[in-house]
Amino acid sequence: PGKKVLIVYAHQEPKSFNGSLLKIAVEELTKQGCSVTVSDLYAMQFEPRATRNDIVGPLHNSEAFNYGVETWEAYKRGHLSKDLVEEQKKVQEADLLIFQFPLFWFNMPAILKGWVDRVLVQGFAYDLSKIYDGGLLQDKLSLFSFTTGGSKEKYAIRGDIRYLLWPMQHGIMHFCGVRVLEPHICYAPENVSEEKRKEMLAAWTQRLKTLWKEEPIDCSPEWYFK
């Protein structure tokens, strides 16, 4: 109770299955006494491109633009653009980050990847001497909740879906020190019966009820590639 949750949501249609998963998470977590904030990226028309517009005022080096260096310097000086400052504040306050999205090409949608690229800058989310278990966001939990186009069986033929989670869970969250909960995957909701979809939504509701009792996964290569 009293925990703060940020849901970063990347789907264009509120009536979608992802929209239903979002709605359930907001209702269930609010019911538990959590304070829930949603960054609805499409509705916000969030800018996914990392450009010099992310820096307010003069550049650190105007001769040759280096996004990583410039945003790091801007973060230290308090010169990042307003939209980034707002998102960073939401991340800073959150105990749990939930990412809700449909899997596109074995990956997160571009708008969500753009959020990661622009919001989790050096100095804020990590420092090169402070990464992984020592990362700057180590007091936080994260959970990737996503839908797929293909069935569980299809993914199993091609190798474990956990391989796809390595760049997201390990390369982004764990890198910044965030502990990672077991992902929540709804396979091919478009291709199953209405009844099966209801079961999937009920399973998500059920999981959220005991979410705070869960242990984070062991963030080792073995978890992904064993």
Side-chain angles (χ1 to χ4, degrees):
K3 299 266 194 201
K4 293 194 169 175
V5 182
L6 170 62
I7 305 176
V8 187
Y9 170 70
H11 198 289
Q12 310 89 329
E13 174 52 65
K15 295 196 286 282
S16 64
F17 193 80
N18 273 273
S20 300
L21 292 165
L22 170 70
K23 197 161 165 281
I24 285 171
V26 172
E27 284 170 7
E28 184 52 46
L29 293 165
T30 305
K31 210 184 287 177
Q32 293 174 20
C34 300
S35 112
V36 184
T37 304
V38 178
S39 284
D40 182 341
L41 302 183
Y42 285 102
M44 290 156 69
Q45 298 193 321
F46 187 81
E47 166 60 83
R49 294 169 302 177
T51 68
R52 57 181 70 207
N53 296 339
D54 293 350
I55 294 101
V56 177
L59 293 176
H60 176 67
N61 174 4
S62 51
E63 299 300 303
F65 183 72
N66 178 320
Y67 187 81
V69 170
E70 292 296 343
T71 49
W72 187 22
E73 291 296 331
Y75 176 74
K76 289 190 281 196
R77 298 197 311 269
H79 285 180
L80 285 174
S81 61
K82 184 168 165 286
D83 59 339
L84 296 193
V85 173
E86 282 170 10
E87 292 306 298
Q88 287 176 345
K89 187 167 181 289
K90 294 176 195 173
V91 171
Q92 197 68 65
E93 290 176 352
D95 298 298
L96 167 67
L97 308 168
I98 296 178
F99 297 92
Q100 181 64 60
F101 58 95
L103 202 64
F104 283 2
W105 292 112
F106 281 29
N107 212 324
M108 54 177 74
I111 199 166
L112 179 52
K113 178 60 165 57
W115 183 94
V116 168
D117 292 348
R118 295 181 63 227
V119 175
L120 303 180
V121 302
Q122 186 169 354
F124 169 68
Y126 70 93
D127 216 319
L128 291 180
S129 61
K130 298 190 177 83
I131 54 174
Y132 293 114
D133 294 339
L136 299 177
L137 303 178
Q138 59 187 281
D139 55 338
K140 303 182 187 308
L141 286 168
S142 63
L143 192 164
F144 286 84
S145 169
F146 60 92
T147 59
T148 68
S151 65
K152 194 169 187 173
E153 296 69 34
K154 284 256 170 60
Y155 276 95
I157 297 165
R158 307 262 186 261
D160 202 309
I161 197 162
R162 286 183 174 196
Y163 300 164
L164 315 184
L165 292 160
W166 173 257
M168 299 186 228
Q169 293 185 164
H170 178 76
I172 301 169
M173 288 294 109
H174 186 204
F175 186 85
C176 297
V178 181
R179 289 168 304 146
V180 180
L181 295 173
E182 204 56 65
H184 197 85
I185 308 170
C186 291
Y187 289 95
E190 277 185 36
N191 304 331
V192 300
S193 66
E194 186 56 38
E195 198 174 322
K196 188 82 185 102
R197 278 198 288 275
K198 283 187 177 140
E199 279 171 27
M200 286 180 181
L201 295 175
W204 179 226
T205 309
Q206 214 41 52
R207 179 169 180 198
L208 289 162
K209 289 186 192 302
T210 55
L211 200 61
W212 301 104
K213 296 193 176 86
E214 288 186 20
E215 283 299 313
I217 65 165
D218 150 38
C219 271
S220 65
E222 288 72 37
W223 188 90
Y224 297 91
F225 304 109
K226 63 176 181 251

